[in-house]
Amino acid sequence: KITITPDNIIIDKSFEAVADQIYYSMYVFQFCWSSALDKWMIRRPNETFADGTFKSNNGWFLRGRESEIRYWALYNSKAQKGIMGFFSKYFPQQGSYLLWDHTAYHKFYFWAKNPKNLAKGYKSPAYQLVLKGFDAAPDKWQDSVKALGEVFEKQYPLPEPPGRIEMFKEPLKLKG
């Protein structure tokens, strides 16, 4: 499902196995962007960042190096415009990420982690990505992305960690 609002594009995806099958991989989100986008950055759930510059040389970024991403952004320095992708239904170990620095385009990939053997009726988690365009001066684009990220973090907070499991209603009494 794709929802277009005046502010964002919200993409919801999930799947159900219609028969028993082996699951290899699936690109849940894949976006092919203009090679005019020359910068990228990511934010991890632990609030750290990484960034880089595209060279249009068929290189790869993030490939197997980032196990968790909360959001990503690509930026065009000449046009002073960018695009941000925010995982609004993020959950730990949801999948893998890749930026392909192709000569003709720059592509973002997200593929989901699911069990290797899917039983008929298996339902994947719900994946949701919010896309947001932005304008920013070249020396301020990362600050703009971080500010947008803060807005989205309030709107789509990370899930609370699981609470302590109470195994015994009464304290244990040890003998011996």
Side-chain angles (χ1 to χ4, degrees), residues 1-12 29 31 33 83-86 88 128-133 152 156:
K1 173 179 146 184
I2 298 174
T3 305
I4 300 173
T5 73
D7 296 320
N8 309 312
I9 298 172
I10 302 167
I11 304 169
D12 290 283
F29 300 112
F31 303 101
W33 303 105
I83 186 77
M84 175 187 193
F86 187 90
S88 46
Q128 186 178 73
L129 188 74
V130 178
L131 294 175
K132 173 79 174 171
F152 283 132
Y156 305 103

Side-chain angles (χ1 to χ4, degrees), residues 122-165:
Y122 169 83
K123 293 183 180 177
S124 74
Y127 303 98
Q128 186 178 73
L129 188 74
V130 178
L131 294 175
K132 173 79 174 171
F134 63 91
D135 297 313
D139 61 336
K140 301 284 186 201
W141 83 272
Q142 289 187 345
D143 293 335
S144 296
V145 170
K146 290 175 183 178
L148 282 173
E150 289 175 13
V151 170
F152 283 132
E153 288 285 349
K154 289 176 184 161
Q155 190 174 356
Y156 305 103
L158 285 170
E160 291 292 322
R164 190 173 130 214
I165 298 172

Side-chain angles (χ1 to χ4, degrees), residues 2 9-11 13 27-34 37 72 74 83-87 98-100 105-110 129-131:
I2 298 174
I9 298 172
I10 302 167
I11 304 169
K13 291 190 177 182
Y27 294 126
V28 176
F29 300 112
Q30 177 180 324
F31 303 101
C32 189
W33 303 105
S34 166
L37 292 154
W72 52 269
L74 307 180
I83 186 77
M84 175 187 193
F86 187 90
F87 288 98
L98 175 69
L99 286 170
W100 187 11
Y105 50 78
H106 298 141
K107 191 177 279 188
F108 173 82
Y109 294 93
F110 166 72
L129 188 74
V130 178
L131 294 175

